[in-house]
Amino acid sequence: MTEQNRIIKKYPNRRLYDTRTSTYITLVDVKGLVLAHEAFQVVDAKSDENITRAILLQIILEEEANGAPMFSSEMLSQMIRFYGSAMQSMMRRYLDSNMKAFVDMQAKFSEQAMSSFGTPGLGTQDMWNQFLNFQGPAMQSMMSAYVEQSQQLFQQMQDRMKETTRKIFPDATANAAHKPGKASGSAKSK
């Protein structure tokens, strides 16, 4: 029998209650669950609505405010521009795929660190610098593979967009291919 997700209830007074441990917890504790890869779900105590994403976004907001932010203003602006556009769902898939590829690459780095230094992970900047200097060619190869995979994901996203456009506007794409001076390659007559 598999264990169900841990349920955390959020009450109107903004307090979070962990039903597994029967204790009130904080966002720091929820972040600890994320870091420990613990499966959980946050629900509104009144409506039973799943608000896990909102809580995770709150944690990200706090992390961004405390210390070195991960997201630049330009990146956040670009992300906001995708909301409500036709590209929103495609961008979500692209970001999900890219994040998975990055996590896979990070796991490979950790494996190499374990074999090179005998310690899991690399906690300090000095250790990362040593690792990067020692593993230069291997790092370059893995980064190249990551960049290539990212380019492939972007190309797939563009191909899906073209196919969707063809399905939505079949007459427009067919007419564009047959117009003089367009994609058909015929020259304009004088």
Side-chain angles (χ1 to χ4, degrees), residues 95-115:
L95 291 174
D96 282 346
S97 298
N98 226 352
M99 180 59 76
K100 183 184 179 326
F102 189 81
V103 168
D104 292 345
M105 185 179 68
Q106 183 183 28
K108 288 178 185 176
F109 286 161
S110 292
E111 287 172 18
Q112 285 188 352
M114 184 64 151
S115 66

Side-chain angles (χ1 to χ4, degrees), residues 47-102:
S47 67
D48 270 344
E49 176 187 0
N50 183 344
I51 57 170
T52 308
R53 287 182 67 257
I55 297 299
L56 295 173
L57 286 168
Q58 233 180 314
I59 293 169
I60 290 171
L61 184 61
E62 284 190 10
E63 290 294 317
E64 287 288 305
N66 300 327
M70 190 180 306
F71 301 106
S72 68
S73 295
E74 179 59 28
M75 181 181 181
L76 291 171
S77 296
Q78 291 290 5
M79 289 173 71
I80 290 168
R81 290 180 190 113
F82 280 106
Y83 283 98
S85 76
M87 293 293 294
Q88 182 175 342
S89 66
M90 294 176 100
M91 181 52 77
R92 177 183 173 182
R93 286 192 301 266
Y94 174 75
L95 291 174
D96 282 346
S97 298
N98 226 352
M99 180 59 76
K100 183 184 179 326
F102 189 81

Side-chain angles (χ1 to χ4, degrees), residues 12-23:
N13 63 4
R14 298 184 182 183
R15 293 187 78 186
L16 298 168
Y17 184 77
D18 185 342
T19 59
R20 183 178 292 168
T21 61
S22 300
T23 58

